[in-house]
Amino acid sequence: MTLTTPGLLFPAISLLLLAYTNRFLVLAQLIRELNAREGNTLRPLVRAQIDNLRKRIKLIRFMQVWGVISFLLCTLSMFALFIDVALTGIILFGASLCCLALSLIISLYEIHISCDAIEIELQNIEKKPSL
């Protein structure tokens, strides 16, 4: 394995972390708007949304953590290959791939929960009277 093999993951992991950060920022903005809109009382719908948002924030944190660990392991893998310790570099690269896969699996679960949040909104819309 050469230095370029783990180097190929750098742009992918960087873009992934950027996407995770964007998801976090969107949720943070949504929570702020929800807080400002609701005032001192909470509707049952909002309680369901809060539980969903809390779960999603935690999942995004885990996605980011495993993504960063993957990035660090990838960097260490490149360093090991650079100083000509190939076996260590290969093991670190494999661990980096595993962490990246874990991050992606958590991301997939977060997307599933995000769809649940949309379903809550759709159910609320359906409860409204028709004209």
Side-chain angles (χ1 to χ4, degrees):
M1 186 164 75
T2 65
L3 276 171
T4 56
T5 305
L8 293 173
L9 273 186
F10 270 74
I13 296 173
S14 297
L15 288 174
L16 199 59
L17 290 174
L18 182 61
Y20 292 167
T21 300
N22 285 341
R23 289 187 76 81
F24 178 82
L25 292 175
V26 167
L27 282 182
Q29 182 62 32
L30 183 62
I31 290 168
R32 287 184 188 97
E33 288 173 9
L34 192 60
N35 185 38
R37 185 178 66 211
E38 288 303 307
N40 294 332
T41 59
L42 285 179
R43 296 173 289 148
L45 169 72
V46 175
R47 290 211 183 274
Q49 288 174 332
I50 289 171
D51 292 339
N52 187 286
L53 290 168
R54 185 171 281 124
K55 268 192 245 180
R56 290 176 62 198
I57 288 288
K58 287 178 184 177
L59 287 172
I60 290 172
R61 182 185 317 140
F62 286 127
M63 290 159 39
Q64 289 173 325
V65 165
W66 287 112
V68 168
I69 290 171
S70 175
F71 206 6
L72 287 171
L73 289 172
C74 191
T75 304
L76 291 173
S77 170
M78 287 182 70
F79 181 71
L81 293 170
F82 177 72
I83 61 171
D84 207 24
V85 186
L87 181 59
T88 302
I90 291 168
I91 291 169
L92 288 169
F93 183 65
S96 173
L97 290 176
C98 290
C99 291
L100 183 59
L102 181 58
S103 175
L104 290 170
I105 290 167
I106 296 169
S107 174
L108 188 61
Y109 182 59
E110 192 272 333
I111 290 168
H112 174 73
I113 291 177
S114 175
C115 291
D116 290 346
I118 294 169
E119 185 61 34
I120 290 170
E121 287 294 328
L122 288 173
Q123 289 172 1
N124 187 51
I125 291 169
E126 287 176 336
K127 289 178 184 176
K128 294 181 180 181
S130 301
L131 290 177

